[in-house]
Amino acid sequence: MSYIPGQPVTAVVQRVEIHKLRQGENLILGFSIGGGIDQDPSQNPFSEDKTDKVNGWDMTMVTHDQARKRLTKRSEEVVRLLVTRQSLQKAVQQSMLS
Amino acid sequence: MDTESTYSGYSYYSSHSKKSHRQGERNRERHKSPRNKDGRGSEKSVTIQAPTGEPLLANDSTRTEEVQDDNWGETTTAITGTSEHSISQEDIARISKDMEDSVRLDCRHYLGLTVASVLGLLVFLTPIAFILLPPILWRDELEPCGTICEGLFISVAFKLLILLIGTWALFFRKQRADVPRVFVFRALLLVLIFFFVVSYWLFYGVRILDSRDRNYQGIVQYAVSLVDALLFIHYLAIVLLELRQLQPMFTLQVVRSTDGESRFYSLGHLSIQRAALVVLENYYKDFTIYNPNLLTASKFRAAKHMAGLKVYNVDGPSNNATGQSRAMIAAAARRRDSSHNELYYEEAEHLVVAVEEAFIHIQRLQAEEQQKAPGEVMDPREAAQAIFPSMARALQKYLRTTRQQHYHSMESILQHLAFCITNSMTPKAFLERYLSAGPTLQYDKERWLSTQWRLVSDEAVTNGLRDGIVFVLKCLDFSLVVNVKKIPFIVLSEEFIDPKSHKFVLRLQSETSV
């Protein structure tokens, strides 16, 4: 998804709801996260899925640490994510054409 | 002239402000009698005289040398000292008043100085007397002085030396002004020292001289304790007289009554008369010189402009007389401002051009002189006289336009020009003094018009400053109204911001499993 810094971006998002698993004392989600505004974006491991919101909290301007904290809150068992990826945009465009 | 009645009142004030006792007690009764004639109630007024620095009898001679020839701009090729002086009625009254007042205040000043020096001498000689009297009077019965005793002699000697230097530094300074009342703290300290020394002498006289004490070491230690206590009193004097007023507590707003020029000064805890002294010392260097011609000139010009205007009523017949006059005044003011400004700038430009040409001429002259005789340097005074005629006319026209011509005599301009040439100043530096009015100190002492001041206040002038006090410093031509305001109590609190909260470190890619 190309964008010009400083200009607003529109994205197609997908809602994902995840119930946390219980492993011992911790509630885990089962995947790894990478990135954050304090990280070097050219070295992102998974460049496909970008998270926009977690349980209503905005994820577009958070550091790695803050994102981790929001995802691993002990009080929440369910995590609702708004995820976007490039293939979604293409799929929507194709469905609109046909 | 109606000024005569005012001047005769001055000698009353100065005679009644003579102080003879040291406690600084206020003499309200004596001051009330002349004031009641004016009908004003408890207003107190005392005289402050700033020292003139030149002997009074020479005043007349300096006035005769004053060149009052205003046309020096056109007649500068032959410089002759024409002296047509005219002393006005005011000047005569002022000179005679100066002579009277300074004689009376000098007596008071010398009295205070004598008392203080006598006391100082007594205090200084007392420890020496304490130590020397027993050997003189009963040497045979006295125990011999051991090592400790002789050590104490050395310490007494050095402490007395330190005391002497400290007293000289603190108390024996040239008095910078004559003030109406005795300084309260100084008087209190002198009284304290007097009683202290007297009590020590009483004890010494009764217990040591009468009973002929044989323990010489004890006597020497007694003298040492006196010197120690005197050093502590000296410390007290420093704190009371010098240190206490250093921390600023009040801001004084000083407004000149004639043109409203105002300045602000910060002071600490001072008495009203000392605050007045500080204000006056700063007045001479901060306020621009008082120019009475500027005030009358504007009124005259306004009348001239108003005469040329006519008002036509376009809206039909109406009896709006106030509206008409207001319109006339506004139009006259506008016309006066614009024409005055044009004239002003034109004259200034002419002047700058003339002076620059004159300075270029000087440089050319200097270059020629150096070629002719490389060892000789042209005397700046001669150079000034050489180029002065070329710019004299422009300068004089300019000074007439800005009404400063009586502040700058030809001699002073020549001196200033020689000064600028000596120090290689540019034409602009030379002209700056004439283009803008400077503080009073910049001009000759004769032009100051005001060195004697009266302090008018409705509180005793030895009272400390307080918020809201207003006192007035009057001189012959104008007055300075001083308003005292307290510096507000400032509440300063801190707010701590964790540096981590608005900083982050750019890290390389990191994965976390959630």
Side-chain angles (χ1 to χ4, degrees):
Chain A
M1 209 162 30
S2 66
Y3 63 94
I4 306 163
Q7 301 297 317
V9 178
T10 349
V12 183
V13 295
Q14 183 177 9
R15 269 184 234 267
V16 177
E17 196 177 289
I18 306 176
H19 291 259
K20 288 189 189 171
L21 296 173
R22 190 166 282 281
Q23 188 190 63
E25 278 196 8
N26 304 331
L27 286 170
I28 57 164
L29 283 162
F31 52 85
S32 297
I33 58 168
I37 55 168
D38 56 337
Q39 309 284 328
D40 192 358
S42 56
Q43 298 186 20
N44 273 345
F46 322 107
S47 47
E48 274 288 313
D49 291 350
K50 294 195 205 307
T51 317
D52 274 342
K53 272 198 179 150
V54 172
N55 273 350
W57 291 102
D58 177 55
M59 288 279 131
T60 54
M61 288 281 291
V62 292
T63 62
H64 186 88
D65 221 26
Q66 284 167 347
R68 181 186 57 79
K69 280 186 195 150
R70 299 259 170 80
L71 280 170
T72 56
K73 279 196 192 307
R74 265 169 192 267
S75 52
E76 296 165 355
E77 281 206 8
V78 180
V79 176
R80 293 184 184 85
L81 307 173
L82 275 175
V83 186
T84 172
R85 56 169 84 112
Q86 244 177 351
S87 47
L88 275 178
Q89 183 84 14
K90 283 186 201 152
V92 167
Q93 274 176 350
Q94 275 187 339
S95 67
M96 279 171 64
L97 281 173
S98 61
Chain B
M1 272 164 61
D2 58 343
T3 51
E4 283 166 9
S5 58
T6 327
Y7 291 143
S8 63
Y10 282 12
S11 52
Y12 279 103
Y13 301 150
S14 53
S15 67
H16 288 300
S17 64
K18 209 192 323 191
K19 302 304 297 166
S20 54
H21 53 93
R22 297 185 227 112
Q23 264 87 6
E25 188 193 319
R26 294 178 258 140
N27 282 335
R28 291 195 98 114
E29 311 334 301
R30 277 198 241 165
H31 271 266
K32 271 212 161 119
S33 40
R35 290 308 256 154
N36 278 336
K37 286 182 196 164
D38 297 337
R40 274 166 278 180
S42 56
E43 199 178 284
K44 302 171 63 60
S45 136
V46 289
T47 315
I48 293 178
Q49 179 183 25
T52 48
E54 46 191 297
L56 287 154
L57 292 175
N59 238 353
D60 284 318
S61 55
T62 51
R63 280 181 201 275
T64 54
E65 286 164 23
E66 192 178 286
V67 174
Q68 288 265 1
D69 185 10
D70 265 347
N71 286 328
W72 47 263
E74 279 93 21
T75 59
T76 44
T77 48
I79 304 170
T80 55
T82 58
S83 63
E84 37 160 13
H85 71 276
S86 56
I87 304 183
S88 64
Q89 181 81 355
E90 284 181 8
D91 291 341
I92 292 179
R94 202 183 299 157
I95 293 172
S96 58
K97 188 176 51 61
D98 278 349
M99 289 175 62
E100 281 177 16
D101 284 339
S102 65
V103 166
R104 291 214 180 91
L105 288 170
D106 276 348
C107 281
R108 200 164 54 85
H109 161 57
Y110 284 129
L111 181 72
L113 199 60
T114 336
V115 164
S117 359
V118 162
L119 192 62
L121 207 60
L122 175 75
V123 161
F124 187 72
L125 292 177
T126 301
I128 302 178
F130 283 179
I131 295 177
L132 288 180
L133 278 178
I136 294 175
L137 293 179
W138 62 90
R139 182 185 282 277
D140 312 321
E141 303 163 0
L142 214 51
E143 284 168 21
C145 192
T147 331
I148 299 176
C149 202
E150 280 157 16
L152 287 174
F153 285 156
I154 298 177
S155 101
V156 164
F158 275 103
K159 281 180 187 164
L160 277 179
L161 179 67
I162 291 172
L163 195 61
L164 188 67
I165 295 175
T167 314
W168 167 81
L170 190 63
F171 284 107
F172 293 137
R173 282 182 288 195
K174 196 162 161 53
Q175 196 182 19
R176 55 191 186 166
D178 280 329
V179 288
R181 307 277 185 173
V182 167
F183 287 135
V184 171
F185 279 139
R186 220 177 259 214
L188 280 177
L189 277 168
L190 286 178
V191 167
L192 177 69
I193 292 175
F194 179 71
F195 280 130
F196 175 74
V197 169
V198 161
S199 62
Y200 257 73
W201 267 111
L202 274 177
F203 185 87
Y204 186 78
V206 166
R207 296 287 288 271
I208 297 180
L209 283 182
D210 275 354
S211 60
R212 300 209 158 207
D213 196 356
R214 313 174 74 205
N215 180 9
Y216 193 46
Q217 186 170 331
I219 295 174
V220 176
Q221 272 176 338
Y222 182 67
V224 171
S225 81
L226 170 68
V227 182
D228 286 341
L230 284 175
L231 280 171
F232 283 125
I233 292 184
H234 188 260
Y235 155 78
L236 187 69
I238 293 178
V239 165
L240 281 181
L241 295 181
E242 305 284 324
L243 288 183
R244 188 168 169 258
Q245 62 245 31
L246 286 181
Q247 188 184 38
M249 296 281 308
F250 300 100
T251 304
L252 270 63
Q253 179 187 21
V254 184
V255 183
R256 186 156 60 184
S257 64
T258 47
D259 54 1
E261 187 172 342
S262 80
R263 293 274 190 285
F264 288 84
Y265 300 114
S266 282
L267 292 179
H269 276 294
L270 285 177
S271 61
I272 293 181
Q273 62 181 1
R274 290 185 80 174
L277 270 183
V278 172
V279 165
L280 284 177
E281 280 161 15
N282 284 321
Y283 167 78
Y284 283 111
K285 78 165 168 58
D286 282 334
F287 279 75
T288 58
I289 188 150
Y290 164 69
N291 200 344
N293 301 332
L294 280 175
L295 302 167
T296 52
S298 52
K299 289 189 221 152
F300 172 68
R301 249 181 275 134
K304 206 169 57 169
H305 286 292
M306 203 134 60
L309 292 169
K310 284 186 69 118
V311 177
Y312 294 101
N313 206 334
V314 185
D315 299 319
S318 71
N319 289 330
N320 198 354
T322 50
Q324 274 187 11
S325 56
R326 219 179 294 148
M328 275 189 76
I329 290 172
R334 243 171 285 138
R335 195 205 262 190
R336 171 193 81 216
D337 281 339
S338 56
S339 68
H340 176 237
N341 283 343
E342 281 167 24
L343 195 66
Y344 184 82
Y345 286 126
E346 218 178 276
E347 295 287 341
E349 271 184 41
H350 285 165
L351 180 63
V352 169
V353 164
V355 171
E356 278 175 5
E357 281 179 7
F359 269 68
I360 292 173
H361 184 55
I362 270 262
Q363 287 173 9
R364 223 179 299 136
L365 277 178
Q366 274 181 341
E368 279 175 13
E369 281 286 323
Q370 281 197 343
Q371 279 171 1
K372 284 185 205 163
E376 274 179 36
V377 181
M378 194 158 62
D379 183 24
R381 176 90 192 165
E382 287 169 8
Q385 280 173 340
I387 64 170
F388 183 65
S390 58
M391 62 165 133
R393 200 182 153 77
L395 185 59
Q396 201 212 354
K397 266 189 83 178
Y398 178 79
L399 287 181
R400 276 233 186 93
T401 317
T402 52
R403 317 224 161 243
Q404 295 177 25
Q405 72 271 25
H406 58 279
Y407 282 118
H408 304 283
S409 67
M410 187 173 73
E411 182 56 36
S412 77
I413 297 178
L414 273 173
Q415 263 179 4
H416 183 60
L417 189 54
F419 174 77
C420 291
I421 292 173
T422 317
N423 297 316
S424 315
M425 294 198 191
T426 60
K428 187 170 187 318
F430 164 69
L431 274 180
E432 190 56 33
R433 180 192 250 217
Y434 306 108
L435 288 176
S436 54
T440 316
L441 276 179
Q442 190 177 300
Y443 302 89
D444 291 334
K445 249 195 172 151
E446 298 123 32
R447 314 282 181 186
W448 286 7
L449 296 178
S450 52
T451 50
Q452 186 140 25
W453 298 82
R454 275 191 304 151
L455 172 60
V456 179
S457 110
D458 49 4
E459 291 201 12
V461 297
T462 48
N463 273 0
L465 287 177
R466 242 184 30 244
D467 187 35
I469 286 183
V470 176
F471 58 93
V472 181
L473 288 159
K474 277 197 191 151
C475 80
L476 286 170
D477 306 300
F478 57 91
S479 54
L480 297 169
V481 181
V482 181
N483 197 358
V484 180
K485 298 194 212 304
K486 198 171 155 70
I487 294 176
F489 183 77
I490 298 169
V491 179
L492 194 63
S493 56
E494 69 158 309
E495 187 180 317
F496 179 68
I497 298 182
D498 188 6
K500 283 187 255 177
S501 66
H502 54 256
K503 274 193 226 172
F504 53 84
V505 176
L506 192 67
R507 284 189 289 264
L508 294 174
Q509 200 44 249
S510 62
E511 262 177 58
T512 327
S513 54
V514 290

